[in-house]
């Protein structure tokens, strides 16, 4: 009897080994792995604002970029160093296209700080072409690339809150959202050599013709946004501030959590779950507030969407196999 039991045990062991020799049975394609917990969501309708929260500081005389208003060839003007803070815009260049000139101005309350591209270069609308320095306090917030793309086209409205201080209050954006190269001075025209004073006698400039100091040109800056507070708001140089930028709003938008969507600019992808299968669909994306994102086309609103969303394929490596 004992021999019969041992033979039966050995036969069962051999049968088990034979069945598992090929490894685990593969899952059917399109299904989640066994025992995987899948989170799903349904699209919802809600009002949505594209908001970007930034951390900044109060700065004295911040430098900002002045953008080209149009495509064309830039021709800079000779800009004299002002005797006082300008109360009207200062013309600094013209953008020529099809025989028509579009003026580039440094806004009132700021002074020209330098050229950012070479004279007679071809430029595009929105490109920073001049740097300017605001006279007084401003709020400067550093940006990363994702934040810059969300607010670069139109900063919209900005609300500021000074840490342990005034706010919230509206903050007026200066110039364009961009990193700036070093501003370069305009070439100076040659001047006639003044006659030396006789017998070492001191000379004095006539009133109103005092010798001007060379204008300091702007240093390069990082990617940032600069805005100014309304008159009467007390600011202290160096204190921390928070900015909330609202670039656009939409009502009754079809939205999904950002975790359910692959992509963030225009085109995206989602995984629709049908009978346990994940089917990747293309969608058109709109506004986002950082938590939810608008689905403009591609879904009806009745689908069940897998979370997290699909993984985008990795870009091919340079020099790698092309099979």
């Amino acid at each position: 009897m004992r021999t019969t039991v041992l033979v039966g045990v050995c036969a069962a062991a051999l049968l088990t080994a034979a069945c598992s020799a090929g490894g685990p049975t593969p899952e059917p394609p399109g299904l989640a792995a066994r025992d995987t917990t899948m989170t799903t969501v349904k699209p919802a309708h809600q009002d949505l604002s594209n908001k970007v929260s930034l951390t900044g500081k109060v700065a004295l005389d911040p430098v900002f970029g002045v953008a080209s208003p149009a495509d064309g060839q830039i021709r800079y003007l000779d800009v004299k160093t002002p005797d006082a803070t300008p109360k009207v815009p200062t013309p600094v260049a013209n953008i020529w296209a099809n025989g028509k000139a579009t003026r580039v101005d440094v806004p009132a309350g700021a002074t020209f700080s330098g050229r950012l591209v070479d004279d007679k270069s071809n430029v595009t609308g929105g490109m920073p072409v001049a740097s300017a320095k605001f006279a007084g306090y401003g709020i400067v917030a550093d940006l990363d690339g994702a934040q810059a793309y969300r607010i670069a086209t139109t900063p919209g409205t900005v609300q500021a809150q000074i840490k342990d201080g005034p706010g919230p209050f509206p903050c007026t954006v200066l110039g364009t959202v961009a990193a700036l190269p070093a501003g370069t001075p305009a070439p100076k025209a040659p001047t006639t050599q003044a006659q030396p004073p006789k017998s070492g006698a001191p000379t004095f400039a006539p009133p109103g013709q005092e010798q001007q100091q060379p204008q300091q040109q702007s240093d390069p800056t990082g990617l940032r946004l600069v805005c100014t507070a309304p008159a009467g708001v007390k600011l202290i140089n160096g204190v921390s501030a928070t900015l909330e930028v609202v670039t656009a709003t939409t009502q009754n938008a079809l939205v999904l959590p950002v975790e359910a969507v692959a992509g963030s600019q225009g085109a995206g992808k989602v995984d629709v779950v049908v009978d346990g299968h994940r089917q990747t669909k293309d969608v058109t994306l709109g506004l986002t507030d950082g938590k939810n994102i608008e689905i403009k086309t591609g879904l009806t609103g009745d689908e069940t969407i897998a979370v997290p969303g699909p993984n985008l394929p990795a870009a091919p490596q340079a020099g790698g196999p092309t099979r």
Side-chain angles (χ1 to χ4, degrees), residues 33 46-47 71 99 130 157 176 183 229 262 285 295:
Q46 69 176 59
D47 296 344
D71 297 351
T157 60
T176 184
L285 306 177
I295 308 297

Side-chain angles (χ1 to χ4, degrees), residues 5-242:
V5 173
L6 290 176
V7 171
V9 172
C10 292
L14 289 174
L15 180 61
T16 302
C19 292
S20 60
T25 303
E27 296 291 338
L31 292 179
R34 184 170 296 172
D35 299 328
T36 297
T37 301
M38 181 183 295
T39 303
T40 60
V41 295
K42 301 281 288 186
H45 285 86
Q46 69 176 59
D47 296 344
L48 195 65
S49 295
N50 188 6
K51 296 181 181 180
V52 183
S53 183
L54 306 175
T55 300
K57 285 187 176 182
V58 176
L60 188 61
D61 296 345
V63 172
F64 60 95
V66 178
S68 171
D71 297 351
Q73 185 187 78
I74 187 167
R75 299 181 186 177
Y76 286 100
L77 305 175
D78 291 331
V79 182
K80 296 181 179 180
T81 303
D83 297 328
T85 301
K87 296 182 179 180
V88 296
T90 303
V92 296
N94 286 315
I95 307 298
W96 284 88
N98 300 321
K100 181 181 177 181
T102 304
R103 204 169 77 177
V104 180
D105 289 339
V106 168
T111 56
F112 174 70
S113 289
R115 303 177 176 186
L116 300 184
V117 298
D118 292 334
D119 190 33
K120 299 183 180 179
S121 296
N122 290 329
V123 298
T124 58
M127 177 188 296
V129 294
S131 59
K133 180 181 291 187
F134 181 75
Y137 287 115
I139 299 177
V140 178
D142 293 328
L143 310 175
D144 60 30
Q147 293 169 331
Y149 271 106
R150 290 177 63 186
I151 65 179
T153 303
T154 168
T157 60
V158 181
Q159 292 286 318
Q161 173 68 59
I162 304 299
K163 185 177 181 181
D164 300 326
F169 53 82
C171 202
T172 304
V173 176
L174 291 176
T176 184
V177 175
L180 306 178
T184 59
K188 293 184 177 180
T191 57
T192 57
Q193 182 68 35
Q195 296 294 327
K198 296 181 180 180
S199 66
T203 59
F204 301 93
Q209 297 184 16
E210 292 85 2
Q211 183 177 2
Q212 294 183 348
Q213 296 295 325
Q215 186 177 11
Q216 294 183 351
Q217 304 305 310
S218 61
D219 293 328
T221 70
L223 190 61
R224 64 184 187 171
L225 177 146
V226 180
C227 66
T228 59
V233 176
K234 182 175 178 58
L235 300 177
I236 300 175
N237 189 43
V239 301
S240 298
T242 299

